[in-house]
Structure formats: structure tokens, C-alpha cells
Amino acid sequence: METLGIGALAKRAGVRIDTVRYYERSGLLAPKTRLQSGYRRYSGAELTRLRFIRRAQTLGFSLKEIRELLALSKSRDVARVKRAAQAKLADVEQRIAALQRMRDGLATLVEACPGHGEPTDCPILRALGGEGADLLDLPPAAARRPGQN
Amino acid sequence: METLGIGALAKRAGVRIDTVRYYERSGLLAPKTRLQSGYRRYSGAELTRLRFIRRAQTLGFSLKEIRELLALSKSRDVARVKRAAQAKLADVEQRIAALQRMRDGLATLVEACPGHGEPTDCPILRALGGEGADLLDLPPAAARRPGQN
DNA sequence: CTTGACCTTGGACCACGCTCCAGGATGTAA
DNA sequence: TTACATCCTGGAGCGTGGTCCAAGGTCAAG
């Protein structure tokens, strides 16, 4: 069976070599085997997994979440897997909702801005500068993403 | 005119004091004046600005982008401001679309999983583990968020 | 004047997600 | 065998967005 070196794997996934090793350190992606020399060898499954990691990232999942997601595939407990997937689904739906609020706020602003003329006619500028930031007024902010550390 | 100390300002904006100082260091928010003692004093305009910064963050703007946005408001260039907002809007919409694809994929998986029985009957397990990750297969990934450094 | 809350600065530290480097070993093709 | 690409490990460094701490100064009330 054909295997890939770390460089070939990285190239095929559009990722840097260091990133692959970083993912390994992070418990996300292990080589299928190692040569006696220590060289990592990957199979198609690892490539698939790596691509999955990248896709999930573009969808806003943190590496930690992705690790959890991938861990599911190891647990052979179908019920747990299903519950986890459902939880993830709910999470994704919440994110979509949050992004949609974002989008609505921005769309309102963009629509209301003539794109020319007096700065005082631009709601974006008014929201930025003035007292009447009504247009940008969004719900408090509670749900910040980058954990409040 | 009534002014606020840094503590009062932070409280009113729902932010930590350190965060206010951090924003100042980052060139986002300067106090209106300082007392002889060095104490920062803020006016309503700064509170508005601070709230704007937070709102913008919830809209997915980075502090760097917010700094640019705030700089634009000084430039009074309506067209540029609008373009920046439009770009962000497009970005947010792309993210929503990507998340919706993920949601659909997850929903399909969850629906198709019996929640019990053989692991081989669970499509989630099959999608995550195997070669045929078809259900989770999403478009390439191009639009990475955290700049490729 | 004392107390306690509030403020100052400078700098360390954190998590995240990489990215790069040094020094050395290995693989492969000519 | 030589040459060159590729790989190894361990650890440092980076940008982002904070958060915390020490050592000390200030403000307002009683």
C-alpha cells in the first residue's frame, strides 16, 4: 500500500509540514507508521483526516473541538456518538444564528449608507462616532467566542 | 461636563479595566483627558467608542480592523467606510454558508444514525473514520480565517 | 488624618495556532 | 560514494486579545 511522507501529505492537504507535526503534538493526527529511521508514513486515511481538520477549522471549530469530534470516531459507542453529534449540531446552529445577527447588523448599516455625500448621512460613521449608535445596537455581547479567559 | 474614571467606564461598557488600558495601548481608545495625578478621565464619546469596539468585535472584526474602521471615521470618507463594511458583510455571509453546509452534513448524519446497534450501522462513525467521508466533504478551504501568518 | 476604594506603570503570563530554527540523521538517485 | 532532498527532535518566537500582579500614588468620606 502506497504511503506518503510528511512532506507529500502536507502538500496534498495544502498545509505546512510544521503544521502537520503541530497537529500530531496536539493529538489530532498520528502517522500510520514510522520507518525504522523515525520518518513518518501516512496513508490515505490520514490525508482524509487532515483535510477534515482543515475543513472543520474553516467552519469555525477550534482544534480542541475538532479533537473531540475525531475522538468520537474511536469510541464505538453508537449512542454516545450520536449524542455528541447532536450537541455539535446544536452548537453549529447557534453559531449560525449568531452570525446571522451579525450579518443583519452589517446589512442594515450597509443598506442605509448612501456611499457618498456627507459623512453625517452615513449610518456607519454615525454609529462609529456619535451618541446615537442605534443602528449598530446589538444585543449586549454575552456570547463572545474567544473565551473570557 | 461629567466624566468617568476608568473603572466606571469599564463597568458601563461591561469590560475589564485592563481591557480598556489594553485598547489604549493598541491605539483604539484614548482618555479624553488626564488628571494631574495621571488618572484617566473619559467622556460619553469614549464610552460610545468603547461600546462600538465591543459591538464590532461581536460582528467579527479584529481589533486591527476596528482600528482601521475608526480611522476611516476620521477620514470622513464615506465610500471607503461603506466598502469596508460590505467586505465584512460578504465575509460573514460566506461563513454562514459554510456553516450551513456543515449543519446539513451533521443533520443528515444524526438523522441516519439509529443511535444503537452495530458501529458499522452508524453513518457518523463511518464518515469520520473511513475513506468515504463524503457526507462531511465540503469545498476546499481557501478562505482561512486566522491569517496564514 | 486615617481608611479603603480606586488609580498608576511596567512587565509577566496565558491560550491559541502556528512557524521557524539548529543540529543532526536518512533517503534516493546518479 | 557522493550529493542533495527530506526528515527528525526540541525548543524558541510570533501575533492576537487579553489578564494579572507588584509597588506605589490618589481620592473621598468620616
Side-chain angles (χ1 to χ4, degrees):
Chain A
M1 188 242 221
E2 185 201 352
T3 62
L4 301 167
I6 192 170
L9 178 82
K11 197 163 198 174
R12 288 229 208 173
V15 165
R16 304 213 191 186
I17 288 179
D18 284 336
T19 303
V20 175
R21 284 196 278 249
Y22 173 68
Y23 288 167
E24 183 174 346
R25 262 184 278 150
S26 307
L28 285 164
L29 182 71
K32 195 193 175 206
T33 58
R34 293 256 191 169
L35 260 34
Q36 308 77 336
S37 59
Y39 279 35
R40 297 164 175 84
R41 300 307 310 191
Y42 301 89
S43 70
E46 278 77 50
L47 179 55
T48 298
R49 192 178 171 99
L50 179 49
R51 285 184 171 145
F52 172 78
I53 293 167
R54 291 255 113 183
R55 280 196 306 271
Q57 276 187 304
T58 71
L59 295 180
F61 287 90
S62 68
L63 293 187
K64 190 182 170 194
E65 291 170 320
I66 295 170
R67 191 159 44 240
E68 289 160 10
L69 224 36
L70 290 168
L72 290 185
S73 73
K74 275 210 154 182
S75 130
R76 327 212 71 219
D77 180 340
V78 179
R80 258 183 72 195
V81 170
K82 182 167 187 173
R83 262 183 277 118
Q86 280 171 328
K88 221 67 201 174
L89 178 56
D91 183 88
V92 169
E93 282 174 343
Q94 273 198 8
R95 288 191 202 210
I96 290 173
L99 275 173
Q100 270 166 348
R101 284 195 295 277
M102 235 182 243
R103 195 205 53 119
D104 293 347
L106 279 171
T108 302
L109 244 32
V110 167
E111 263 174 52
C113 175
H116 61 270
E118 283 309 299
T120 46
D121 294 335
C122 174
I124 305 171
L125 249 22
R126 285 216 312 276
L128 260 54
E131 306 294 302
D134 316 45
L135 274 168
L136 259 180
D137 271 338
L138 261 14
R144 296 292 2 272
R145 283 259 87 226
Q148 34 275 63
N149 300 167
Chain B
M1 191 242 221
E2 184 200 352
T3 62
L4 301 167
I6 192 170
L9 177 82
K11 195 162 200 175
R12 289 229 209 173
V15 166
R16 304 211 193 187
I17 288 179
D18 283 337
T19 302
V20 175
R21 283 195 279 249
Y22 173 68
Y23 288 167
E24 183 174 346
R25 260 185 279 150
S26 307
L28 285 165
L29 181 72
K32 196 193 175 205
T33 58
R34 294 258 191 167
L35 259 36
Q36 310 76 337
S37 59
Y39 279 35
R40 295 166 177 82
R41 300 308 309 193
Y42 299 90
S43 70
E46 278 79 49
L47 178 56
T48 298
R49 192 177 172 101
L50 178 50
R51 285 184 171 145
F52 170 76
I53 293 168
R54 291 256 114 185
R55 279 195 306 269
Q57 277 188 304
T58 72
L59 293 179
F61 289 91
S62 69
L63 294 186
K64 189 182 170 194
E65 290 170 320
I66 295 169
R67 191 160 43 240
E68 288 160 9
L69 225 37
L70 288 168
L72 286 185
S73 78
K74 275 205 156 182
S75 86
R76 331 221 80 213
D77 181 342
V78 178
R80 267 181 66 195
V81 170
K82 183 168 185 173
R83 263 183 275 120
Q86 279 171 327
K88 207 67 209 173
L89 177 56
D91 183 88
V92 169
E93 282 174 344
Q94 274 199 7
R95 289 216 236 170
I96 290 173
L99 271 176
Q100 270 165 349
R101 284 194 295 276
M102 175 59 126
R103 196 211 47 169
D104 294 346
L106 275 172
T108 302
L109 249 29
V110 167
E111 262 174 56
C113 176
H116 61 271
E118 284 309 299
T120 46
D121 294 336
C122 175
I124 304 170
L125 249 21
R126 289 214 311 275
L128 282 168
E131 307 293 300
D134 316 48
L135 275 168
L136 274 174
D137 270 338
L138 264 12
R144 295 286 13 268
R145 283 258 74 231
Q148 33 277 58
N149 297 168

